[in-house]
Amino acid sequence: MAAGRTLIFIGTYAPASDDSIFVYELGAKGKLKPLSAVSGVANPSFLALHPDGKRLYAVEEVGQFQGKPTGAVTAFNLDRKSGGLSLLNSESSVGSVPCHVSVDRAGRYAFAANYGSGGVCMLPLDKGGRLGKATDYSQHEGKGVDPRRQEGPHAHCIVIAPDNRFALSADLGLDKVYSYRLDPEHGKMPLNSPPWVRFRSGAGPRHIAFHPNGRFVYVICEMGNTITAFAWHAASGELRELQTVRTLPDDFTGNSTTAEIVVSANGRFVYGSNRGHDSIALFRVDERTGRLRPLGFQPTLGKTPRNFAPDPSGQFLLVANQDSDNIVTFRADPESGALLPTGHEVKVPKPVCIRALVV
């Protein structure tokens, strides 16, 4: 196979006995061709790629791992020619029900957010990409105003800053985004000062995206159906709130929660997914101020858009509709931000996360 192909990796909710991570090749017109699938991992709901493009990491979103009340992070080696994945190893995520994994930009550590227990961990990676036991763990403490969704901490993501000096973690249960300083030499991630920013009670911050210019951060709030824009001070790891916008139409009265947030590679647009309204909300970015202007909504042609991701070229946006078991490809207009259906989709059981890689 020729170089310059784009591989698409899809994590799902599936038992270890079934195929649960799927690999496709993305064609020039947005069509997806199946390449491989792996079983043996339970609920590999969220994925992350190593910066060298040769390894893939998945959380196992479970409450028990090797007889202990934790989840796991699992590493795979990637055959870049065939798209095949082979197991390297798994390690405990220290907490339970991990729902998000990321890898630092130097490829030295993986990080996981544990939704069930409400904490985040840092796991070293050796030169072959294998995971070591966690070198640090931070347990979030407290509760929010919603007795059903916020009875305790629920860490929903951990995202690495562009300069690799800080990590941000959104906690849905506490209405906070935590800021951690990264100490790769000692394998530690102490809390920054100030240690967090607080959101409106009941907002439920979920996922975080940095603007490519490194000056702004966007946080999508699951329960509040909002996106909050922040100015990011890279030297200190501090966030300063700029604006909060709604992700749903003003006349919408049904039940809906947000899920994923993405900033376009050209920095002009922010996209957020609505589960219930089953749409992607589009916003134009003022690249001087970081503020957002609503542009409208694109139906996702499926139910419950859990996650979506652009391909590395920025031409396409792929949407994982969890409850209709389909991945839909849209063409992304670089000038208007509009998402245009390509007519291509594939069936994947309970898709949760999409990652893309050029090989």
Side-chain angles (χ1 to χ4, degrees), residues 30 177 228 231 305 308 348:
V177 166
T228 298
F308 60 95
V348 175

Side-chain angles (χ1 to χ4, degrees), residues 228-240:
T228 298
F230 291 90
W232 170 249
H233 194 273
S236 64
E238 293 182 69
L239 294 163
R240 177 174 57 84

Side-chain angles (χ1 to χ4, degrees), residues 68-152:
K68 296 181 179 179
T70 76
V73 181
T74 297
F76 297 89
N77 194 60
L78 169 64
D79 184 321
R80 291 162 63 93
K81 291 185 179 180
S82 69
L85 296 170
S86 55
L87 178 67
L88 288 173
N89 76 321
S90 300
E91 284 289 350
S92 168
S93 64
V94 185
S96 66
V97 195
C99 63
H100 189 276
V101 62
S102 57
V103 178
D104 83 302
R105 297 170 194 276
R108 296 179 62 183
Y109 291 91
F111 300 80
N114 294 286
Y115 183 86
S117 56
V120 293
C121 72
M122 179 177 186
L123 304 101
L125 305 177
D126 69 16
K127 291 183 179 179
R130 292 173 61 90
L131 293 151
K133 293 187 182 302
T135 56
D136 205 358
Y137 180 80
S138 178
Q139 177 63 51
H140 300 170
E141 300 287 351
K143 61 182 180 179
V145 297
D146 187 316
R148 186 177 66 89
R149 299 292 313 277
Q150 297 181 309
E151 80 296 344

